[in-house]
Amino acid sequence: METGLRNRVAIVAASSKGIGRATAFALAAEGAHLALCARNADMLEDAAKQIRAGYGVQVLTEPFDVSDDARVRHFVDAVHRHFGRIDICVTNAGGPPSKTFAETTMEEWDRAYALNLRSIVSFAHAVLPYMRQQHWGRLITITSIAAKQPVLELVLSNAVRAGVLGLVRSLATQYGPDNITVNNVGPGFTATERVKELAQANALTTGHSAAEYEAGVTKDIPLHRMGRPEEIADAIAWLASDRAAYVTGQTILVDGGVYRGL
Ligand SMILES: NC(=O)c1ccc[n+]([C@@H]2O[C@H](COP(=O)([O-])OP(=O)(O)OC[C@H]3O[C@@H](n4cnc5c(N)ncnc54)[C@H](OP(=O)(O)O)[C@@H]3O)[C@@H](O)[C@H]2O)c1
C-alpha cells in the first residue's frame, strides 16, 4: 500500500522509548524525515542513531520536557528552519502517576494538565500555522483508552485525557478547510516501561507481582494479551499517511478490544 510518507517531515514527541519510539521507526520505515524529542539526551540520540542507520532518513533531535511551552515552540521553529516544512506532528508524553482520587495532590493535577493536555496545545499552536501555509497537515495525539473508558486508579489520566478529545474534535473542525486532519490514538495496555511503572504502583497497594498484575490485566482484554508498541505505531502511521486523508476528528483505540462501548 503506498502511504505517501516518503520525504514527509514528522515531529514525534516523547520518542526515545515505547510508543513514541515505535512511531518514529514506523514513519522512518515509510521514508519520512524526523524530529524527535524526550528528556534524556542519550536515549534520544540512541534511537535517532538506529533510525538513521536503518532507514537513511534525516533525524533531528532536541532533549527537553514537553510541558515547557517555550521549549516546544523553539523546537518546532528549529524543525521548520531545518527542513523548510512540517507535515506531521505526533504529540506524546509520559503518563501521570497511578493514584486514586483521594491520594492526588493539587500539584499532581497541575502536572498532569501541563504534561498531557497543555503540551498538546503548545505543539498545536506552534505547528498549525506552518501546516496551514502548506495547505497540508496531520496532527495526531497519543492519549489512552482512559480517555474513553476510565481506568480505576488512573484518575489523573481519565480526567485530563478526556480534554484532549474535546481539543482534537475542535481543531479538526477548525482546520479541516486547510486540509489538516486532527486525530487521536488511544492505546490500551501496551508492553512498555509505562506498564512496568503501573505494575510497580499496583504492587505497592495490592502486593501482587508484575506477572500477577499482567495476568489480571490481560484476562479482561478480548485478545488476551497486551499490545506491542509497533501495533500502536502502525495505526499512527496510517493516520499520518495519504490513505487516511478523509479521516479527521476521530479517536482510534488500539486496545485489543478493551473498550466496551459502541
Ligand atoms: N503503555 C501503555 O500501556 C499505555 C496505555 C495507554 C496510554 N499510554 C500512554 O502513552 C504514552 C506513552 O507511553 P509509553 O508506554 O510509550 O511510555 P514509555 O515507554 O515510558 O515512554 C515514554 C517516552 O516519553 C518520554 N517522556 C516522558 N515524559 C516526558 C516529558 N515530560 N517530556 C518529553 N518526553 C517525555 C520518555 O523519555 P524521557 O523519560 O527521557 O523524557 C520516553 O521516550 C503515555 O502518555 C502513556 O500514559 C500508555
Side-chain angles (χ1 to χ4, degrees):
M1 193 191 284
E2 180 50 58
T3 59
L5 287 167
R6 182 153 305 281
N7 290 325
R8 291 275 182 209
V9 173
I11 290 175
V12 186
S15 43
S16 62
K17 287 193 283 184
I19 296 166
R21 186 179 192 276
T23 300
F25 274 73
L27 293 172
E30 294 300 320
H33 301 297
L34 300 174
L36 310 180
C37 68
R39 291 163 306 174
N40 182 301
D42 291 343
M43 291 212 59
L44 184 61
E45 198 42 48
D46 183 58
K49 213 182 277 176
Q50 287 188 36
I51 291 170
R52 288 186 201 107
Y55 303 107
V57 298
Q58 290 186 56
V59 187
L60 210 66
T61 59
E62 192 172 312
F64 65 92
D65 187 325
V66 294
S67 65
D68 183 335
D69 177 65
R71 293 297 303 268
V72 171
R73 287 164 195 266
H74 175 273
F75 174 62
V76 168
D77 289 344
V79 173
H80 192 265
R81 268 198 310 279
H82 181 85
F83 289 108
R85 57 185 303 114
I86 298 172
D87 299 300
I88 298 153
C89 178
V90 181
T91 68
N92 187 30
S98 170
K99 300 255 168 149
T100 62
F101 179 70
E103 289 165 346
T104 59
T105 65
M106 292 314 286
E107 288 72 26
E108 285 167 336
W109 281 99
D110 289 345
R111 177 72 185 148
Y113 161 67
L115 192 58
N116 298 115
L117 176 53
R118 202 190 59 188
S119 69
I120 299 169
V121 176
S122 300
F123 274 106
H125 258 163
V127 299
L128 287 169
Y130 292 130
M131 291 178 175
R132 197 172 232 173
Q133 278 169 19
Q134 297 162 189
H135 200 68
W136 201 98
R138 299 277 193 267
L139 177 61
I140 302 161
T141 60
I142 299 176
T143 58
S144 170
I145 173 75
K148 296 276 281 185
Q149 181 166 281
V151 177
L152 195 68
E153 293 187 358
L154 280 182
V155 65
L156 291 160
S157 185
N158 297 339
V160 172
R161 310 279 199 188
V164 179
L165 269 53
L167 178 69
V168 162
R169 195 55 262 183
S170 304
L171 294 179
T173 305
Q174 194 180 338
Y175 288 86
D178 299 298
N179 195 31
I180 298 168
T181 67
V182 185
N183 290 290
N184 170 54
V185 169
F189 286 94
T190 311
T192 68
E193 296 285 318
R194 168 72 174 162
V195 167
K196 289 185 195 153
E197 272 171 35
L198 296 178
Q200 277 163 10
N202 182 267
L204 291 177
T205 50
T206 64
H208 291 157
S209 68
E212 286 167 330
Y213 173 76
E214 182 169 340
V217 163
T218 52
K219 81 172 169 25
D220 291 332
I221 301 174
L223 289 179
H224 273 291
R225 64 173 176 89
M226 290 208 194
R228 291 182 292 109
E230 295 76 16
E231 292 174 313
I232 318 299
D234 283 344
I236 296 168
W238 171 72
L239 280 171
S241 78
D242 285 348
R243 313 310 297 216
Y246 202 54
V247 178
T248 195
Q250 302 304 307
T251 288
I252 312 276
L253 298 177
V254 186
D255 67 349
V258 165
Y259 179 64
R260 295 293 196 261
L262 298 179

